[in-house]
Amino acid sequence: MNIAIIGSGYVGLVTGVCLAHIGHHVICIDNDPEKIKKLNAGKVPIYEPGLEDLIRKYRRMKRLVFSGSIAGAVKKSEVIFIAVGTPSKQNGDADLTYIENVAREIARHMDSYKLLVEKSTVPAQTGNRIERTVRLNLPAKYRKDGARPFAFDVASNPEFLREGSAIEDFMNPDRIVIGVESSRAEKLLREVYKPLKARVVVTNLASAEMIKHASNSFLAAKISFINAVAQVCDRVGADVEKVAEGMGYDKRIGRAFLNAGIGYGGSCFPKDVDAFIRLAEKSGYDFRLLKSVRDVNEQQKAAFIQLIEDKLWIIKDKTIAVWGLAFKANTDDMRRAASLDIIRSLRAEGARVQAYDPKAMVNARYELKDIKFCADAYAALKGADCLLVLTEWDEFLKVDLARARGLMRQAVVFDGRNFCDREAFTAGGFEYYGIGRGETVKTTTGAAACGKK
Ligand code: NAD
């Protein structure tokens, strides 16, 4: 099939290359001329494992092309995926400006049946607004009284890929969700995904839009739940890792997303939780549960800073080493990374920060102007009063701990992801603090507070 993808970011590029891989002819569009220039020169503007090789392969086979022209792409394609950003507004609403712009521009170049597919994460009801926008912006000849415009459809096909394993996730999805209002649209989308042989869930438009927001919010809730549990673990001498393991074997619960840490970040969870809260609010429902999910997530970063202060005492003029900046491992994405808030707080207190990340330092430089970026994990440790592990990159597991300890002024590690080998660090002479591991018992019940056993 001939398919256009409007928006060639993390989702658009992966969708484009994977659809080419399963046999389609794909045009990826972006309105950032630099991005298109890079892609046409064989350079991939983001880091995603396996992406560069596949792009090279399908460009060579002419199944994947990059362009800045929506007009050409609309003319050539029957199915048009919209994969532009839907960032947060100040009040938490999803900012749908890019969606509206794209819908308008697609409409202006339409001259035959097209299926417009929302790939971006959008609040329920967005599909209806896209449809209206298209109708209002069709070429003048189709808007005249008595003129019979051709049919078109709007569908929702939310994306569930995770950065860092995006290609694998796209090619082997747990399910494909298709939100449609016509059998023609359903038939076309089933055809697009036929080679994947995945379970397909067909719903109406609004339900498909809701599935994405509800899924991301549920996952965020799982993270905040275990983070709240971790807070209690620390106070009562329990180890949240063991608690999560014991809970996770229960098939009704599952172990995934029960990793305590410095909270979720990234371009999706924070904005999607906000947008879902706002959608509920506007529909007349106060989604207090989700508001708490968001609050716990914020508290988690504050608690981490507090822990560092408790152990280091004065932060001012301390040298703090940071391993990992990206919001998660295997990506260079810094959008709403927890590391940003933590580093900014420490800088505001007067700490010197020297950081290393295997892939995200180029992007991090735009966000963090006043820290030192280091060439490798060891360089970040030189003269440091403590080490913060903020992203779970495998590379950090291979560090020679004796060498690491020799470089630091104080061998103290705060593992914000419960990722490092606690026993190895402790045996190597480090003071190790994880999240909710029970090392920092804060019991303040009467007897303990008075020092009585
Ligand atoms: P992104 O910012 O990486 O990519 C969006 C791209 O759209 C950019 O390259 C931008 O230049 C382009 N764009 C904006 N306006 C345009 C226009 N008028 N014409 C052409 N191109 C235009 O964003 P992303 O991370 O790929 O996310 C896109 C959407 O997918 C969001 O709604 C997001 O919530 C959703 N999503 C993201 C992920 C993820 O892991 N990143 C996963 C699932 C869903």
Side-chain angles (χ1 to χ4, degrees), residues 130-151:
I130 293 178
E131 191 181 334
R132 197 177 135 74
T133 305
V134 169
R135 277 195 199 294
L136 288 173
N137 288 280
L138 286 174
K141 60 182 171 184
Y142 300 116
R143 278 185 280 124
K144 280 198 193 113
D145 280 348
R148 278 196 53 205
F150 45 82

Side-chain angles (χ1 to χ4, degrees), residues 227-246:
N227 279 334
V229 170
Q231 289 299 325
V232 183
C233 283
D234 261 341
R235 287 162 172 80
V236 301
D239 181 351
V240 73
E241 290 295 301
K242 287 288 164 198
V243 174
E245 185 188 345

